[in-house]
Amino acid sequence: MSKRQMNSFTIFHSLPVDEAATRAAVIGFLEEVRQYRQIGYIRELASVTHSYSQRYHGATHAIHKPTEQVALRNIDREAELRRKSELLDQAMGGLTVMQREVIERSYLAGEREYDFISCGEMGISDRTYRRIKASALKLLAIAMKLEVLVEPEERTATLSVHGVG
């Protein structure tokens, strides 16, 4: 493990990080990027026919442009997905070769395999595979700023239960 990765783990363990929520956030991010890379962005379409019922409006002088709003949402969402994909590429560059391969196989491959199949193909034990995956997810969380911090009242309750507070 490099010195930079060791410093990242020190930061990760010194902050009040909710590890389960952070892991879920990283996995959700990876799933979103995987779908974008495989099928692209499916654009939202504007409905041409609005409601047939008569609508009474006051004098708001507001201009309603549904087609323009849909087009802007499509552009913004696609730009956001492209940015997330680039951010993931940068973050993956900071991982070791083994960590990168584990993340690719587990979350980014088109046809994802079960972990026990992947670890057999890579020639490592299941325990080592899971350890590499956990460390890679923590590093990705730090690199992409997806850490979910424990709320102060939750942290106080946890410390009190363990007899620390």
Side-chain angles (χ1 to χ4, degrees):
M1 189 177 295
S2 70
K3 187 174 182 177
R4 183 171 49 98
Q5 289 176 340
M6 188 61 79
N7 288 339
S8 297
F9 279 129
T10 304
I11 292 168
F12 195 82
H13 290 298
S14 65
L15 293 174
V17 176
D18 184 349
E19 292 191 29
T22 299
R23 180 181 174 93
V26 174
I27 291 172
F29 187 96
L30 292 170
E31 179 65 21
E32 192 174 18
V33 170
R34 182 190 67 79
Q35 288 177 359
Y36 170 69
R37 288 179 177 178
Q38 284 183 350
I39 60 173
Y41 175 66
I42 300 173
R43 287 169 175 63
E44 179 183 347
L45 300 175
S47 61
V48 177
T49 306
H50 293 287
S51 174
Y52 289 110
S53 62
Q54 188 173 6
R55 296 173 28 192
Y56 300 99
H57 296 286
T60 62
H61 304 294
I63 298 172
H64 184 66
K65 300 179 182 178
T67 306
E68 179 183 351
Q69 291 170 348
V70 168
L72 290 174
R73 275 197 306 268
N74 284 337
I75 291 169
D76 291 344
R77 180 68 178 144
E78 189 165 8
E80 176 188 357
L81 289 170
R82 187 177 300 115
R83 182 190 58 78
K84 284 183 175 184
S85 181
E86 291 169 359
L87 178 63
L88 179 61
D89 288 339
Q90 290 175 351
M92 292 283 282
L95 300 178
T96 66
V97 174
M98 288 291 277
Q99 289 173 331
R100 203 172 308 126
E101 185 175 354
V102 166
I103 294 297
E104 287 282 340
R105 286 175 175 265
S106 296
Y107 301 107
L108 299 175
E111 303 248 347
R112 295 185 306 194
E113 299 174 339
Y114 291 107
D115 286 350
F116 70 90
I117 294 172
S118 295
C119 65
E121 290 175 353
M122 293 174 67
I124 57 176
S125 70
D126 185 52
R127 181 176 176 174
T128 302
Y129 185 88
R130 292 182 190 281
R131 194 174 328 135
I132 291 170
K133 183 164 55 167
S135 66
L137 288 174
K138 286 179 183 178
L139 287 171
L140 287 175
I142 293 166
M144 296 186 297
K145 297 182 175 103
L146 294 174
E147 307 98 337
V148 178
L149 299 178
V150 175
E151 296 298 320
E153 61 273 357
E154 292 177 20
R155 188 167 185 228
T156 306
T158 305
L159 293 175
S160 299
V161 169
H162 295 297
V164 178

